[in-house]
Amino acid sequence: MDADRRAKLEQTTRYDPGEVEGRVYERWREGGHFTPEPAGTAAENYSIAIPPPNVTGSLHMGHGLNNTIQDTLVRKHRMMGERVKWIIGTDHAGIATQSVVEKELRAAGIDRHELGREAFVERVWEWRERYGGRIIEQLQRLGASGDFANERFTLDEGYVAAVHKVFVALHEKGLIYRDNYMVNWDPGSHSAISDLEVENREVEDTLYSIDYPVEGSERVLTVATVRPETMLADTAVAVNPGDGRYADLVGGRCVLPLVGRRLPIIADEHVDVDFGTGALKITPGHDPNDFEIGRRHGLEEISVIGEDGRLTEEAGAAYAGLTAAEAQQRVVADLRAAGALGGEEPYVHSVPFSHRSGERIEPLISLQWFCRMDELAAPAIEVVRDGRIRFTPERWGRVYLDWMESIRPWCVSRQLWWGHRLPVWYCDRCGATIVAEREPEGGQCGSCGGELRRDEDVLDTWFSSALWPFAALGWPEDTPDLRAFYPTDVLSTARDIIYLWVARMIMTSLELLDEIPFTDVYIHSVIQAPDGRRMSKSLGTGIDPLELIDSHGADALRFGLLAMSSSQDVRFSGAKVQQGRDLANKLWNASRLILLNAGDATPEPATNTVEDRWILSRLERTVELVGERLDGFDFSHAALELYRFVYSDLCDWYLEIVKPRLYDGAAAGDVSAASNLLHVLGRTLALAHPLMPFVTEEIWGYMPERASELIVAPYPEPERERFDDAAEAEVADAIELTRALRRWRELAGVAPGSALRARATGEVHSLVLRLARLELDGDAAGAEAVAAVGSIDILPSDDLDPDAVAARIEELRERLRAEVARAEGKLANEGFTANAPADVVAGEREKLARYRGELEELG
């Protein structure tokens, strides 16, 4: 180490993430390490496509975990010598972005319709220029080593061309079509949304029973509904064909109260004989199940609720113009006055709401563009069934297949202004519909010369997102990036977009490129708030990752998130982030001690002593285990194995054992300890780098004989020839006895610096004598021992009063008995175990186990 670097290391007594991270990150970027040259084939290279965050987004814990996972993988493979590309970009996020800009306009007293479409879209682009890079800058603070130089946006020019090409190709194949069909109308965004953007909530409504007179009879058919206002659009009453109560009425008619319309009485298997009276009002215009029944029976489709949420003229003069809620009140009052209301009762049921706006969905028949999915789904099912695409954890593959096997048509059009406008033009003169990648020449109809009008709708954001892993690499052009990095290797994502995104990427890739888009899908856990609720700013349960980076450093957050990740949802643990901070500090302090005392030594493994062979064996087993864990997407155990090796094996034991050799080695002409420590440190830094890149790179800069920066240094492969079972067993026994002796010291209140007079009753390793500060007394064969710890009898001495030790241990024993009794009583109380939070009960059980263990240790 040169004098300048040594002076800097001597002065830097503590690791300061705030000073290091920005400087190191900029050096990586300037070195071009994030932007690979497109060469070779995808089979030789390694690539991951980021789930593109919404351009409106800011970093949350989900982003933090997922992007730490991806960065860990790309850093590992980059160090393995592969050409690595992490595809980076953002999503235009149609509804979300339009909503943000509309909100800004409303605050300024402007309505988007006053601006007009073109001016509004310009405003959104301006907003994107101001704020769209925020999430990318935040990812960089986390340490993300993506290809930011080639960042993509799902509305950039090349991407738009790809989307249009796909739309036209699927239309030409007959998979995309236009139809009047039942859609999920979102009154909040004033747009149709897909089934996957709907969330069901339990709601208590009033269930109304309404009597429909049977024509030519004194009988009535009583139907039950929570939406009496939709009865104005009824076109039939249905019963189950197996329901004997109504067999004689099928084929007849009944009369719609308030309206007087004659309704056919039909039989359909969909009707549940056990719900209400077994008779079901059929409203094809306002219920998805009724819509399907209506299509089966050729029923008229009447719509009485418009896209503005108000009743239309079809509802009749008494109701037209009312909101749905107002119409419900008036219809119920009118039914009551007419004597047609048979009863009312509370009814709890599942109701669809928009995931986007939070508004209650209004099922409407609307003229929309749809994509037929069954043909696209078949090969996408096969590649998961035959293992070409693997899900981790495996259960998510089964969830994927269950959904794909019952897939429905996808409504792809949205009534928005921001997004991919449909490449569709209409000729009002001759009625032609033209679907093309570019606007027809002159904006005129090729058939009649009439002026063309472009469709006002945009595509569902997920339509363009479905093309992400290949369109972001330049498809449909045959680009060098596409040849070098497609298909990608891994997709890391959340479970809530398996259907919205993962499935659609698989389908489009197979359809358009005849390739799977990735081989592995890793579904990461959801990080909950510490109390088990979802993280949310509105609930006050959100935790800002950037604040944790400011206070603890990016490495600490990365380690903490990986350590708390799991195959299940997990509660956020501040303790795990602190554990990451502690590990960064431990690495820094241990490295500083080694480097400042290594003299002119160079990294080289040493096998002179059993402790040298032990640490090399422990190191290589850790290298093997961490590598296997990362390859198997078991990030938690990878992080915790690394922590255990650094904290326990390297720092707590080996470094303490070899300090005398390290300090005295140069003078004695023996640098084996320093050389071995440098060797172990170098491999440990390389092993830790994918998880904790900043602190490891900073330490690496002080290492001797560096051939490159750590980000591109070789990732360690396990050297199994260094596995040494005998050395591990020998040192493990010495460590176990040393720990037991140290615990006894603590319990007995013996000062750490005091040597213990002792007698060996069996073989005692020389390491134990030094580490446990024992002085063997060969002349004390008949002396009475104060205590026996393993093969060591502890004897009285000037520093050790047997009576005082016995009194202290008895006092501690009584205290532990009291704690055990208290904890047992608390856990025996059913009121506590049933009502206290689960983590509180678990904590009490942990305390009881600890108290019992300590009591047993005292004897």
Side-chain angles (χ1 to χ4, degrees):
M1 188 188 310
D2 61 48
D4 289 343
R5 284 196 301 151
R6 183 178 184 86
K8 183 181 177 184
L9 187 58
E10 286 175 342
Q11 292 164 11
T12 313
T13 56
R14 55 182 291 274
Y15 178 65
D16 181 0
E19 188 278 325
V20 169
E21 291 172 358
R23 169 169 51 78
V24 167
Y25 192 86
E26 193 54 37
R27 193 168 76 236
W28 288 331
R29 291 193 66 174
E30 289 174 356
H33 301 310
F34 302 168
T35 305
E37 287 297 322
T41 66
E44 301 165 332
N45 301 330
Y46 187 85
S47 59
I48 291 179
I50 191 175
N54 287 356
V55 71
T56 58
S58 59
L59 194 70
H60 57 61
M61 282 301 172
H63 291 134
L65 172 61
N66 193 16
N67 287 284
T68 296
I69 286 168
Q70 292 172 79
D71 193 53
T72 298
L73 293 173
V74 300
R75 284 180 181 275
K76 177 177 184 288
H77 283 269
R78 188 183 291 119
M79 294 175 73
M80 289 169 64
E82 298 175 53
R83 186 176 285 104
V84 173
K85 185 178 180 75
W86 185 7
I87 302 162
I88 295 291
T90 53
D91 194 286
H92 67 277
I95 291 177
T97 308
Q98 178 159 324
S99 297
V100 167
V101 177
E102 279 194 76
K103 185 177 179 181
E104 281 191 0
L105 290 174
R106 284 196 300 271
I110 303 171
D111 182 89
R112 70 176 167 100
H113 295 94
E114 296 171 5
L115 277 179
R117 182 175 192 140
E118 188 175 337
F120 177 78
V121 170
E122 283 182 13
R123 287 287 189 105
V124 183
W125 277 107
E126 289 170 5
W127 185 94
R128 189 250 174 180
E129 288 301 313
R130 289 199 309 272
Y131 302 113
R134 179 176 51 192
I135 184 72
I136 294 298
E137 293 167 4
Q138 292 169 341
L139 288 175
Q140 291 170 345
R141 287 206 59 197
L142 189 66
S145 59
D147 187 2
F148 295 102
N150 293 299
E151 180 186 335
R152 296 300 304 269
F153 179 51
T154 57
L155 262 180
D156 64 33
E157 186 177 352
Y159 209 102
V160 170
V163 169
H164 287 179
K165 185 176 183 67
V166 173
F167 187 93
V168 171
L170 295 179
H171 179 263
E172 288 176 349
K173 198 171 180 178
L175 296 178
I176 283 183
Y177 59 94
R178 198 180 191 211
D179 193 11
N180 278 297
Y181 206 80
M182 177 65 65
V183 299
N184 304 300
W185 186 260
D186 176 6
S189 63
H190 304 288
S191 174
I193 61 174
S194 74
D195 292 343
L196 296 176
E197 294 167 295
V198 173
E199 59 185 23
N200 290 308
R201 303 178 195 167
E202 290 292 307
V203 170
E204 181 175 310
D205 280 324
T206 300
L207 186 67
Y208 298 94
S209 296
I210 307 171
D211 297 331
Y212 287 41
V214 175
E215 197 173 62
S217 166
E218 296 298 317
R219 295 172 66 183
V220 296
L221 277 175
T222 302
V223 301
T225 180
V226 294
R227 300 201 64 195
E229 69 278 13
T230 65
M231 67 174 286
L232 304 172
D234 285 0
T235 55
V237 171
V239 296
N240 190 289
D243 193 340
R245 294 173 293 176
Y246 306 116
D248 60 323
L249 298 181
V250 175
R253 292 184 179 271
C254 59
V255 178
L256 179 61
L258 305 184
V259 178
R261 187 160 54 241
R262 298 171 67 236
L263 307 178
I265 301 171
I266 61 175
D268 194 280
E269 293 284 354
H270 172 78
V271 180
D272 181 357
V273 296
D274 296 321
F275 178 74
T277 63
L280 184 68
K281 65 186 281 297
I282 303 301
T283 320
H286 296 291
D287 184 274
N289 294 318
D290 293 3
F291 176 81
E292 298 294 342
I293 293 171
R295 289 274 166 119
R296 285 198 292 272
H297 294 270
L299 299 177
E300 184 181 3
E301 295 169 352
I302 299 172
S303 294
V304 297
I305 302 174
E307 293 179 353
D308 61 357
R310 294 182 177 273
L311 272 69
T312 67
E313 292 182 2
E314 287 272 10
Y319 308 105
L322 298 177
T323 66
E326 292 167 344
Q328 180 175 121
Q329 292 178 355
R330 185 168 296 181
V331 166
V332 169
D334 292 348
L335 287 170
R336 190 176 287 116
L341 194 62
E344 305 173 39
E345 60 181 282
Y347 180 64
V348 177
H349 64 133
S350 183
V351 173
F353 285 79
S354 168
H355 178 70
R356 297 288 188 180
S357 71
E359 295 282 336
R360 188 165 176 163
I361 290 296
E362 189 64 67
L364 296 179
I365 294 175
S366 180
L367 183 59
Q368 301 282 349
W369 286 88
F370 294 86
C371 184
R372 185 162 56 82
M373 304 302 291
D374 49 356
E375 187 176 327
L376 296 172
I381 290 170
E382 190 60 31
V383 295
V384 172
R385 276 192 179 146
D386 66 19
R388 276 180 281 168
I389 294 178
R390 301 176 293 269
F391 278 79
T392 303
E394 286 184 13
R395 68 178 182 277
W396 294 114
R398 295 190 293 273
V399 169
Y400 165 92
L401 290 172
D402 287 345
W403 180 74
M404 291 288 280
E405 287 163 357
S406 57
I407 200 166
R408 291 163 49 88
W410 173 18
C411 176
V412 297
S413 48
R414 296 289 182 272
Q415 289 64 58
L416 302 170
W417 286 353
W418 173 248
H420 289 272
R421 196 166 178 181
L422 297 180
V424 178
W425 290 263
Y426 305 104
C427 177
D428 293 327
R429 180 189 291 179
C430 69
T433 298
I434 299 145
V435 178
E437 293 182 40
R438 287 170 291 278
E439 182 178 12
E441 189 174 350
Q444 293 183 321
C445 176
S447 299
C448 71
E451 186 177 347
L452 295 178
R453 168 178 56 86
R454 188 168 183 180
D455 198 304
E456 294 287 326
D457 290 352
V458 301
L459 283 163
D460 179 4
T461 296
W462 293 106
F463 188 95
S464 53
S465 297
L467 319 182
W468 175 248
F470 51 91
L473 291 171
W475 185 91
E477 301 301 322
D478 182 23
T479 66
D481 272 341
L482 190 66
R483 291 194 299 271
F485 298 112
Y486 197 80
T488 64
D489 289 270
V490 175
L491 174 73
S492 176
T493 190
R495 65 168 183 259
D496 57 353
I497 53 176
I498 291 175
Y499 314 140
L500 284 165
W501 191 46
V502 179
R504 289 166 178 170
M505 283 191 288
I506 296 172
M507 287 187 276
T508 56
S509 183
L510 289 168
E511 172 68 20
L512 299 164
L513 288 85
D514 196 28
E515 293 263 24
I516 57 173
F518 29 70
T519 53
D520 282 282
V521 180
Y522 175 64
I523 305 299
H524 63 73
S525 51
V526 173
I527 305 288
Q528 301 170 333
D531 62 3
R533 291 184 293 168
R534 68 182 178 89
M535 282 200 176
S536 163
K537 286 184 180 178
S538 61
L539 292 175
T541 56
I543 298 172
D544 187 347
L546 295 173
E547 291 182 1
L548 287 170
I549 291 175
D550 288 338
S551 61
H552 289 69
D555 287 329
L557 178 61
R558 290 169 63 109
F559 178 91
L561 290 171
L562 292 174
M564 71 182 80
S565 68
S566 160
S567 60
Q568 308 289 335
D569 291 350
V570 293
R571 297 183 180 195
F572 177 81
S573 169
K576 288 285 195 296
V577 178
Q578 183 59 49
Q579 195 175 16
R581 178 65 186 270
D582 293 343
L583 180 58
N585 288 335
K586 194 74 158 179
L587 264 174
W588 176 260
N589 293 333
S591 301
R592 188 169 174 273
L593 184 150
I594 294 167
L595 291 163
L596 290 177
N597 290 280
D600 296 328
T602 56
E604 188 175 341
T607 56
N608 302 12
T609 66
V610 67
E611 58 263 30
D612 291 341
R613 298 190 297 276
W614 171 77
I615 195 62
L616 292 174
S617 184
R618 293 300 310 135
L619 168 66
E620 297 309 325
R621 290 194 196 277
T622 304
V623 166
E624 180 177 62
L625 194 52
V626 170
E628 288 175 351
R629 298 295 197 193
L630 292 179
D631 290 343
F633 308 112
D634 185 356
F635 300 98
S636 174
H637 285 101
L640 296 175
E641 285 294 337
L642 176 68
Y643 181 91
R644 186 206 53 73
F645 173 78
V646 171
Y647 244 85
S648 180
D649 293 345
L650 178 56
C651 295
D652 286 353
W653 295 107
Y654 184 67
L655 200 50
E656 184 176 356
I657 290 169
V658 301
K659 272 180 187 176
R661 288 171 56 203
L662 175 66
Y663 294 155
D664 302 335
D670 176 14
V671 295
S672 61
S675 295
N676 203 42
L677 278 166
L678 288 171
H679 169 80
V680 172
L681 177 59
R683 287 178 68 76
T684 301
L685 293 173
L687 184 66
H689 179 78
L691 291 77
M692 304 178 74
F694 290 109
V695 67
T696 52
E697 186 73 82
E698 180 70 358
I699 296 168
W700 185 260
Y702 294 98
M703 289 287 290
E705 298 191 350
R706 292 174 298 110
S708 67
E709 288 181 286
L710 183 55
I711 189 174
V712 289
Y715 187 78
E717 291 293 328
E719 297 175 356
R720 294 182 178 85
E721 67 275 13
R722 298 201 185 281
F723 290 178
D724 191 327
D725 293 341
E728 288 195 48
E730 184 177 337
V731 175
D733 287 345
I735 287 173
E736 183 179 0
L737 182 53
T738 300
R739 281 180 173 146
L741 287 162
R742 286 176 174 177
R743 281 196 301 272
W744 186 88
R745 269 181 178 276
E746 185 180 351
L747 292 172
V750 179
S754 297
L756 287 175
R757 178 167 166 259
R759 175 177 59 219
T761 59
E763 188 175 344
V764 179
H765 201 287
S766 59
L767 291 176
V768 177
L769 301 180
R770 180 159 59 84
L771 296 175
R773 296 188 64 80
L774 299 181
E775 290 182 355
L776 292 183
D777 187 344
D779 299 325
E784 184 177 354
V786 175
V789 180
S791 58
I792 295 293
D793 281 348
I794 298 170
L795 303 175
S797 67
D798 294 341
D799 295 328
L800 190 64
D801 180 345
D803 293 335
V805 169
R808 179 183 170 85
I809 289 176
E810 183 57 33
E811 180 185 347
L812 182 57
R813 190 180 286 119
E814 287 303 315
R815 195 159 64 239
L816 287 170
R817 284 174 182 149
E819 288 294 342
V820 167
R822 183 201 59 78
E824 286 176 340
K826 200 168 187 179
L827 290 167
N829 182 347
E830 291 185 7
F832 170 73
T833 54
N835 299 319
D839 58 328
V840 173
V841 176
E844 200 62 39
R845 289 198 172 104
E846 287 174 9
K847 283 192 279 187
L848 176 59
R850 187 172 72 251
Y851 296 145
R852 284 173 171 167
E854 290 177 7
L855 188 58
E856 184 179 352
E857 197 173 293
L858 290 177

